Amino acid sequence: MNQTPRIFLMLLGATLLFHITLNYMDKNIADFETVPLPPKKIKKINSNNPIIKVNAKDRNTWMLVEFTTGKTIQISEREAETDKIGQANWDLGFSRTKIISNGGKTNPFGKTGIINLGLVNFDDVKSAPKTGYVQDHRSLGNLINKELAGWYNYRTRTHNIESKRNVYALKLNNGIFMKMRILNYYCSQKDNECRSMLCTREEAACLTIEYVLSQPGSQQFLDTLHVKNIQSQKNLIE
């Protein structure tokens, strides 16, 4: 039996159904436009130590963070050049890839200092150095801390930022010591996933930071088991 007529009728029916569907969608396009897209799946960054996530998307403001309390204050670039920056309790300030500390030229009355320990195992850092903490200075008119200035790699092919994951020792404004490591820069993607694709600016500047505080009066960092009971393990600062 010749199958050609049957195949022709099947193709004709499929074409007719396709056009009916298109016609229906065209007349009811508003219904399809208002259907929300599924939420973007956010890649979680895990650590056995406390993690804090800082929203530093606004390039015209600084997000100031006090790590011992988790409190923040957002100030403008202009306010950062006034006495207002010295009236708040904070340790580090974030604006996109830029990071400042509460000391030196940023705030002469602040006491925060930083040491870049390099690419070492985070959990192997058991105590903070006694001396050598660097405060902010001014370079070409910009506030900068040289220990933190090179915390990331910039990939020219995809224009993405990727943390070097260096470990930093800090003497905070209240005298407590802290070690920290920047784990990630993007809000919903991991840094290394942006090596092969373009991650947009809207997805950037949500810094994920791993940190451990010392006990007051001590330079020793608690081990992970004690840290879980004392410090908040997951915080989102916006």
Side-chain angles (χ1 to χ4, degrees):
M1 180 179 178
N2 191 348
Q3 297 292 323
T4 301
R6 179 179 295 180
I7 295 173
F8 176 77
L9 289 174
M10 290 175 63
L11 291 173
L12 183 63
T15 302
L16 180 62
L17 179 62
F18 176 72
H19 282 283
I20 291 173
T21 303
L22 282 181
N23 187 55
Y24 173 79
M25 292 180 67
D26 182 58
K27 291 181 179 179
N28 299 274
I29 191 65
D31 294 334
F32 290 93
E33 287 179 331
T34 56
V35 175
L37 293 173
K40 184 176 290 187
K41 189 174 182 180
I42 297 177
K43 307 291 179 63
K44 291 185 177 181
I45 308 296
N46 296 315
S47 170
N48 291 325
N49 298 305
I51 287 178
I52 199 167
K53 195 167 185 179
V54 182
N55 186 335
K57 289 185 174 185
D58 190 345
R59 66 169 53 254
N60 297 313
T61 65
W62 289 99
M63 182 66 76
L64 307 181
V65 181
E66 184 183 29
F67 281 88
T68 51
T69 63
K71 293 181 179 179
T72 65
I73 181 173
Q74 191 172 31
I75 66 171
S76 67
E77 283 271 11
R78 182 174 297 179
E79 289 174 325
E81 301 288 345
T82 68
D83 292 340
K84 184 173 182 179
I85 201 166
Q87 296 171 1
N89 294 320
W90 63 282
D91 301 303
L92 295 180
F94 301 85
S95 179
R96 304 296 295 186
T97 58
K98 297 183 294 183
I99 306 176
I100 56 175
S101 65
N102 190 1
K105 290 294 184 180
T106 298
N107 177 24
F109 301 103
K111 299 177 181 178
T112 302
I114 303 161
I115 299 176
N116 183 356
L117 301 177
L119 193 60
V120 298
N121 187 294
F122 188 82
D123 293 327
D124 286 346
V125 180
K126 303 296 185 182
S127 63
K130 292 182 179 180
T131 59
Y133 293 90
V134 176
Q135 295 191 320
D136 288 8
H137 69 283
R138 195 175 289 276
S139 175
L140 301 176
N142 298 314
L143 295 169
I144 191 172
N145 189 300
K146 68 176 185 179
E147 297 296 285
L148 282 168
W151 68 266
Y152 63 90
N153 290 316
Y154 174 69
R155 300 188 180 277
T156 55
R157 187 172 66 86
T158 53
H159 302 287
N160 76 296
I161 300 296
E162 187 170 349
S163 173
K164 293 179 181 178
R165 294 201 167 198
N166 286 348
V167 178
Y168 300 91
L170 289 84
K171 187 174 184 179
L172 303 181
N173 194 47
N174 58 8
I176 290 178
F177 294 93
M178 182 178 84
K179 62 176 178 177
M180 75 168 212
R181 177 171 57 168
I182 300 173
L183 299 179
N184 207 65
Y185 181 66
Y186 292 91
C187 305
S188 58
Q189 301 288 344
K190 293 182 179 180
D191 286 359
N192 57 10
E193 293 176 345
C194 297
R195 294 177 185 175
S196 56
M197 65 179 183
L198 181 63
C199 293
T200 66
R201 290 181 57 82
E202 289 72 22
E203 294 179 296
C206 296
L207 290 86
T208 302
I209 301 170
E210 175 184 29
Y211 71 101
V212 173
L213 300 169
S214 70
Q215 288 289 81
S218 172
Q219 292 172 233
Q220 302 298 312
F221 297 118
L222 297 174
D223 60 39
T224 301
L225 292 176
H226 288 96
V227 167
K228 285 184 177 180
N229 295 327
I230 296 176
Q231 298 172 25
S232 172
Q233 194 163 10
K234 289 186 179 179
N235 295 298
L236 174 62
I237 292 182
E238 296 183 317

